[in-house]
Amino acid sequence: MQKAKGTYDVYGEYGRKVKALERILEDLMQVYNYEYFRTPIFEASEVFHRGVGDTTDIVTKETYDFKDRGDRDMTLRPEGTAGVVRSYIENKYYGNANVPSKLWYYGPMFRYERPQSGRFREFYQFGVEVFGTNDPAIDAEVISIPVNFYKMLGLKQIKVHLNSLGDNESRNNYREALKAHFAPHLDELCEDCKVRFEKNPLRLLDCKVDCDLEVMKKAPKITDYLNEESKKHFELVQKYLEAMGIEYVVDPSCVRGLDYYTNTVFEVEASVEGFGAQNVLCAGGRYNNLVKTLGGPDTPGVGFALGFERLLTALEYEHINLIDEDFIDTYIIPMSENEKEFSMSILNALRSLGFKTDIDYMSRNLKSNFKQAERLNAKFIIIIGEEEAKTGVLTVKNNNTKEEFKVKLDDLVEFLDEKLDECNCGDDCHCGDDCHCGSNCHCKEEK
Ligand code: HAM
């Protein structure tokens, strides 16, 4: 049996990188004061049809739709925003006095796309959604999250492409202008575009088939159709970005493939050598109509989502290492089955106190166990033989210096606390000449 096309398994070093990224993002969300939010992986199809839009590629060509056993139309979520909005409304989150509601989420999304580098059928998105304010400063905050995150990770040449799709009035005017522009050229357009022309002319601009046509290149630009209010919003977003030191380019071709956007839209690219076409690391924008469209009160929203897979590929190409060397504090070696029970009690006690501990489950001989301790990067080895079990005086070996100690069971925790503190000195090393540092210590090389 093989995994389904466009999916992938996570294990080993890749898994450690994924987990490291998740941890960094969780910490970052605390710094930004965002709250964790989780919605189901499948929703009634209507959530995405009405939310993402009936004329978008995502909904017309890419959703995983199915009937459940109750004959209901269900869809695996192709993105996070529509589900979060559905939940925001259903749980009456708009009644929360703590506004704006700043939410973050993370999880798998599903799109039936042609798999290629950076494009999967199951992929993971981290995203944020902010509800309850139309302040352009929050647009700037939302854009700052991925930019600061990518910079923090060490990615260079981060490019923000910024555009505004304007409010309803601006977009209606623009829609008319697009229709007038494309009407004489309908026969040059692909079949999909003919439908887009009727149903949603804005979608014409992100057609992957017709994008090189002269008529596409000469299409009117939304920025020429923004009314005063939309213009002001867009200018303020730019001012706040500048105040935050975030570089951007205004890019009228950035229209985004989802129907719900109003005003600010953006994409963030990283210039990574060998990265290829899928270099959009994340994207987002404002959606002031979506909460109302899905049945809630008139509430503005703005957000973005970033793909994990593309980010991990970018980090790999840029040789950015996310994972510290793995280690454990102690590795316990019972010398025979007779000492297993006593050893298991020590294992459990140490773990319950937070020591990273493992034990031999393979009945290895002492030599192979020492090798295993090396593989696990154990800082200390606790050897438990007949004598140790009888007297309660354990043999504890510093796996780095190979020094051996006899430690009474009652003193074990205090001993490890003290010794591991020495070993964990890391970058703030004050241990001077006494250092018997283990693998985690960076001061070793300096000596
Ligand atoms: P999106 O542009 O469709 O926006 O997706 C956001 C990001 O998800 C992309 O920039 C990319 O990194 C990643 N992504 C999308 N499709 C795939 C795929 N097939 N394989 C791998 N990665 C992929 C949204 O999803 C909006 N919900 C963003 C948003 C949130 N707007 C407002 N709030």
Side-chain angles (χ1 to χ4, degrees):
M1 275 194 273
Q2 287 190 329
K3 60 186 178 298
K5 203 172 162 186
T7 66
Y8 64 97
D9 300 314
V10 172
Y11 52 90
E13 197 177 313
Y14 193 86
R16 288 201 288 280
K17 286 181 186 171
V18 167
K19 282 288 155 199
L21 266 190
E22 287 173 10
R23 276 194 292 271
I24 297 171
L25 278 168
E26 269 187 41
D27 290 347
L28 192 69
M29 283 300 89
Q30 286 189 7
V31 172
Y32 272 87
N33 192 30
Y34 279 60
E35 182 187 319
Y36 179 62
F37 214 78
R38 198 174 82 184
T39 61
I41 282 172
F42 63 89
E43 299 262 1
S45 302
E46 197 195 358
V47 171
F48 303 111
H49 285 252
R50 274 171 58 194
V52 177
D54 269 336
T55 58
T56 58
D57 275 2
I58 293 180
V59 166
T60 54
K61 298 182 185 160
E62 295 168 8
T63 46
Y64 279 86
D65 300 314
F66 62 98
K67 289 248 188 227
D68 73 4
R69 289 174 193 272
D71 208 32
R72 299 174 197 93
D73 288 314
M74 294 289 166
T75 296
L76 294 184
R77 63 180 183 197
E79 58 101 56
T81 313
V84 171
V85 171
R86 192 269 312 138
S87 169
Y88 175 82
I89 299 166
E90 189 173 339
N91 294 296
K92 298 196 170 51
Y93 231 67
Y94 46 80
N96 196 332
N98 176 14
V99 264
S101 300
K102 305 205 296 178
L103 315 172
W104 73 272
Y105 55 88
Y106 168 72
M109 309 290 160
F110 305 85
R111 294 185 193 174
Y112 193 81
E113 293 196 84
R114 196 165 56 81
Q116 51 179 276
S117 156
R119 197 190 279 173
F120 296 86
R121 289 182 174 171
E122 184 195 44
F123 59 97
Y124 275 70
Q125 274 188 350
F126 160 85
V128 311
E129 311 295 349
V130 181
F131 297 99
T133 175
N134 194 32
D135 186 346
I138 202 89
D139 302 27
E141 170 171 308
V142 165
I143 296 170
S144 79
I145 296 173
V147 173
N148 288 341
F149 172 56
Y150 295 144
K151 283 188 182 160
M152 204 173 107
L153 292 175
L155 286 176
K156 292 176 208 92
Q157 302 193 49
I158 305 298
K159 265 201 260 168
V160 179
H161 290 249
L162 186 70
N163 194 16
S164 172
L165 301 180
D167 59 9
N168 293 345
E169 184 188 75
S170 311
R171 274 189 314 160
N172 285 341
N173 292 341
Y174 183 50
R175 210 170 277 135
E176 290 313 312
L178 282 176
K179 286 198 101 164
H181 172 78
F182 282 104
H185 302 277
L186 272 187
D187 49 352
E188 295 168 39
L189 302 179
C190 71
E191 288 311 306
D192 279 350
C193 275
K194 286 182 182 127
V195 179
R196 289 175 184 134
F197 177 85
E198 292 302 331
K199 289 196 172 165
N200 189 352
L202 246 86
R203 288 275 73 75
L204 287 164
L205 300 173
D206 55 31
C207 176
K208 286 157 201 144
V209 179
D210 291 340
C211 56
D212 290 329
L213 292 181
E214 208 48 34
V215 63
M216 282 290 177
K217 290 180 187 157
K218 287 190 175 149
K221 294 190 171 42
I222 176 72
T223 30
D224 295 330
Y225 291 83
L226 296 181
N227 61 16
E228 279 315 305
E229 213 180 317
S230 301
K231 232 185 246 168
K232 193 167 161 222
H233 187 101
F234 194 34
E235 278 163 13
L236 280 172
V237 173
Q238 294 176 56
K239 278 217 171 89
Y240 292 129
L241 285 176
E242 280 154 30
M244 292 167 101
I246 291 172
E247 290 171 34
Y248 63 89
V249 285
V250 173
D251 178 356
S253 72
C254 174
V255 288
R256 311 282 302 113
L258 300 92
D259 273 355
Y260 48 62
Y261 291 115
T262 55
N263 293 98
T264 315
V265 284
F266 71 96
E267 290 182 346
V268 182
E269 284 181 15
S271 166
V272 177
E273 207 168 317
F275 208 35
Q278 306 298 327
N279 64 348
V280 178
L281 287 179
C282 79
R286 187 163 268 291
Y287 46 84
N288 286 350
N289 301 329
L290 186 58
V291 178
K292 203 168 174 201
T293 307
L294 291 186
D298 204 353
T299 311
V302 57
F304 86 94
L306 67 83
F308 251 52
E309 295 75 10
R310 284 180 207 179
L311 175 56
L312 281 158
T313 310
L315 294 172
E316 199 180 316
Y317 281 140
E318 293 289 286
H319 307 289
I320 295 170
N321 185 22
L322 287 178
I323 41 179
D324 290 333
E325 207 177 340
D326 265 350
F327 68 91
I328 59 169
D329 294 322
T330 56
Y331 180 65
I332 302 175
I333 306 177
M335 294 296 284
S336 76
E337 280 301 303
N338 298 337
E339 290 82 39
K340 202 69 176 274
E341 232 176 283
F342 181 53
S343 302
M344 292 299 282
S345 73
I346 296 176
L347 172 78
N348 205 40
L350 287 178
R351 282 179 174 167
S352 64
L353 291 168
F355 292 97
K356 289 196 219 171
T357 302
D358 215 334
I359 193 168
D360 173 35
Y361 287 114
M362 305 302 291
S363 307
R364 295 177 175 90
N365 64 30
L366 198 56
K367 199 171 155 206
S368 321
N369 257 324
F370 284 151
K371 274 198 188 140
Q372 178 66 2
E374 289 299 326
R375 275 184 218 114
L376 294 174
N377 224 344
K379 291 181 179 173
F380 284 88
I381 299 171
I382 302 176
I383 302 163
I384 303 176
E386 200 182 333
E387 186 65 19
E388 282 84 0
K390 200 163 76 194
T391 59
V393 178
L394 312 176
T395 305
V396 183
K397 187 171 167 182
N398 182 321
N399 199 25
N400 187 41
T401 61
K402 309 297 175 205
E403 218 176 333
E404 262 189 31
F405 304 86
K406 292 286 177 196
V407 184
K408 279 197 211 140
L409 186 57
D410 286 350
D411 299 336
L412 182 64
V413 169
E414 199 183 332
F415 171 88
L416 288 174
D417 266 342
E418 202 176 292
K419 292 288 175 193
L420 286 166
D421 254 1
E422 281 176 13
C423 282
N424 271 323
C425 51
D427 290 335
D428 295 316
C429 176
H430 306 295
C431 58
D433 287 334
D434 288 339
C435 176
H436 306 293
C437 296
S439 50
N440 225 22
C441 174
H442 303 302
C443 61
K444 214 165 52 179
E445 283 123 33
E446 287 162 24
K447 294 222 178 101

